[in-house]
Amino acid sequence: MSAPDPQPPLGATASSRTDHLFPTLTPAQITRIAAHGRRRAVARGEVLVEVGAKVVPFFVVVSGEIQVLRASGGTDTVIVAHRPGQFSGEATMLTGRRSLARVRVSEPGEVIELNREQVLALVQTDAELSEILMRAFILRRLELIAREVGDVVVIGSMHCAATLRVKEFLIRNGHPFHYIDLDRDPDAQTLLDQFHVSAADVPVLICRGEAVLRNPSNQQIAECLGFNDAIDQTHVSDLVIVGAGPAGLAAAVYGASEGLDVLVLESSSPGGQAGSSSRIENYLGFPTGISGLELTGRAYAQAQKFGAHILIAKGATGLACDRQPYAVHVDGGPRVPARAVIIATGAEYRKPALENLSRFEGAGVYYGATPMEAQLCVSEEVIVVGGGNSAGQAAVFLAQTAKRVHMLVRGDGLADTMSRYLIRRIEENPAIVVRTHVEIVALEGDRQLQRVRWRDNRTGSVETNDIGHVFMMTGAVPNTGWLERCVALDDNGFIKTGPELSQDDLAAAGWPLTRPPYLLETSRPGVFAVGDVRGGNIKRVAAAVGEGSIAIAFVHQVLHQ
């Protein structure tokens, strides 16, 4: 398998960044780490960690030297060398996933070895070392992603919806991969021939240089890469959280940090709708803004730091609520038992009733505006459908590189559903055109979207435009179908909680307690709903985070009753 051009070792970066990527610990810090692990001698050539290993220890070099190696084509390339006072490891130490590299002793000496549980205990109890280790682990993973150093090769086409899905799944899960574009790379066909696959099989994912997956599902990718190998799904958890958007991740962080045994189920990738937001500028503490991917990525790492387990590409298909402990039915797996449940499955953008919408999803029609989608429409005209904050953020972001952004709004304008700062940005940007009382009536094209027809509802006139990129961000449909009426829903399918529950709702559910439901509690004791899936929710990231953290206080009360 061909490899990308050789890269300099990771340490060959700006000095200040290198100090954070590869800090040298003080003798006092090394002594504190040694109290959590064991010292042992190592010999030259000894392999401490193998590529793809399920168990990945953490090493601090006391004397000698260890190298982190990238294995490719039968040869090893040095990624970085750790010398006395330095330590191995990256985000795998938090996630419990398989090793991306080989670790080998290059100079004999002594190391301090810790397993993953000992590392997590260390970062939870030692604030100084937590800052050093967490920052290094996260920065090292970002560096691997930027350099495409990993155990995955994706072969595909940017004109293929499935390719976009596979890349998005890997990116949002923080897994580095090397991408080969069939439309641009002259050697791509040779690689396909080597693995006996045809262009009709794309996207093709080559996992650890061995398994070849043809147009794999997200669940198949997660299984091949061992995303969930370290998690015991049969264990009775204190709390199971369904959904890893901002509300679910906040609940995971607060629950795990307060000592609860927490398991999170996520049907796709952490972050939810917020994870696909190009920039959030009104979230407290980030005056210059932050991308949804970065914000939720930090929350994901934070939850794992405190010991929360997160199952990826494992969505809930049902809730057994007729007895306790409750059990969540998981797609392709056993039922997951739980003493308490938080439902944070969010909502999806409402899809307009267009005859061939599904044909163009991922091939001209998108439900998120990230750099990955933006690179597909540089210097071209695009359409953003919707008048809320998500649509406004997408329009402002896309206007940086697109030729023109048409915002289509069915109402009179933006003021009712959008933050004022976004409205001003849109009004002052000459690349953005807001069209009110307008909606799309047809999408046209062959394999890729090529033309869009929209109608002015005031005049009835229909206009056809040669535009191949549409970003749909309209309304919200709650992800509650999997509950099968296990909890009370409102007329729009959102979950009713706390004071919104009537006596009839509670009687129908067989509410067994003398107390009324807590705030955010559903018609089932110990089952809570937070974020966009809850009726009456406030559609702001900060509100979702607040609800996730508040729910934990009530979970404690339920578990102690």
Side-chain angles (χ1 to χ4, degrees), residues 336-407:
V336 175
R339 298 174 63 200
V341 176
I342 291 180
I343 301 169
T345 45
E348 297 177 345
Y349 289 119
R350 193 180 304 277
K351 296 183 180 182
L354 296 172
E355 181 179 353
N356 52 2
L357 175 65
S358 60
R359 189 207 310 176
F360 298 116
E361 289 179 329
V365 174
Y366 316 101
Y367 297 96
T370 70
M372 188 166 56
E373 288 86 13
Q375 69 180 346
L376 303 177
C377 46
V378 173
S379 301
E380 297 184 21
E381 294 193 31
V382 306
I383 294 171
V384 175
V385 181
N389 273 3
S390 295
Q393 290 162 351
V396 171
F397 172 65
L398 294 167
Q400 298 175 30
T401 54
K403 179 181 179 181
R404 176 164 294 180
V405 178
H406 302 270
M407 287 198 72

Side-chain angles (χ1 to χ4, degrees), residues 101-120:
R102 178 176 293 132
V103 180
R104 188 172 63 200
V105 179
S106 48
E107 295 293 338
E110 184 182 36
V111 299
I112 300 169
E113 179 179 343
L114 282 71
N115 61 32
R116 176 171 174 261
E117 288 70 27
Q118 291 168 327
V119 173
L120 290 177

Side-chain angles (χ1 to χ4, degrees), residues 81-317:
H82 295 302
R83 298 178 177 85
Q86 297 183 325
F87 55 87
S88 67
E90 47 92 45
T92 297
M93 298 307 308
L94 305 176
T95 62
R97 296 177 186 172
R98 298 179 185 179
S99 171
L100 298 176
R102 178 176 293 132
V103 180
R104 188 172 63 200
V105 179
S106 48
E107 295 293 338
E110 184 182 36
V111 299
I112 300 169
E113 179 179 343
L114 282 71
N115 61 32
R116 176 171 174 261
E117 288 70 27
Q118 291 168 327
V119 173
L120 290 177
L122 179 65
V123 299
Q124 290 170 21
T125 56
D126 191 312
E128 182 189 26
L129 286 171
S130 175
E131 180 179 356
I132 294 170
L133 297 183
M134 288 292 294
R135 181 170 55 197
F137 292 161
I138 293 170
L139 287 177
R140 289 175 187 180
R141 174 53 65 99
L142 292 175
E143 194 72 18
L144 292 175
I145 292 172
R147 292 173 177 246
E148 299 186 358
V149 176
D151 53 359
V152 170
V153 175
V154 177
I155 308 170
S157 167
M158 295 309 292
H159 300 295
C160 168
T163 297
L164 196 65
R165 171 185 56 78
V166 168
K167 291 182 66 177
E168 181 182 26
F169 179 74
L170 292 169
I171 289 170
R172 291 186 62 171
N173 279 288
H175 198 92
F177 65 95
H178 178 54
Y179 176 63
I180 297 176
D181 194 333
L182 282 171
D183 303 317
R184 298 182 181 180
D185 194 320
D187 298 325
Q189 188 58 52
T190 302
L191 194 56
L192 288 178
D193 294 340
Q194 179 182 344
F195 286 94
H196 307 291
V197 294
S198 67
D201 295 320
V202 298
V204 174
L205 185 143
I206 303 171
C207 177
R208 297 192 302 279
E210 300 171 354
V212 178
L213 307 181
R214 296 163 171 81
N215 190 15
S217 66
N218 291 349
Q219 192 173 94
Q220 288 174 319
I221 298 172
E223 289 174 357
C224 185
L225 295 176
F227 280 5
N228 304 317
D229 286 353
I231 300 174
D232 180 4
Q233 299 179 43
T234 62
H235 172 69
V236 179
S237 301
D238 291 332
L239 173 63
V240 168
I241 302 169
V242 187
L249 288 173
V253 168
Y254 281 90
S257 67
E258 293 172 13
L260 296 180
D261 182 0
V262 177
L263 175 64
V264 184
L265 308 179
E266 171 51 49
S267 61
S268 180
S269 306
Q273 281 191 9
S276 63
S277 179
S278 53
R279 196 152 201 82
I280 301 170
E281 294 193 56
N282 59 352
Y283 190 75
L284 184 68
F286 294 91
T288 60
I290 186 171
S291 74
L293 183 62
E294 186 177 1
L295 179 65
T296 55
R298 292 182 181 187
Y300 182 42
Q302 196 172 15
Q304 291 174 314
K305 164 189 171 179
F306 289 118
H309 301 290
I310 303 178
L311 273 175
I312 297 299
K314 291 287 187 180
T317 59

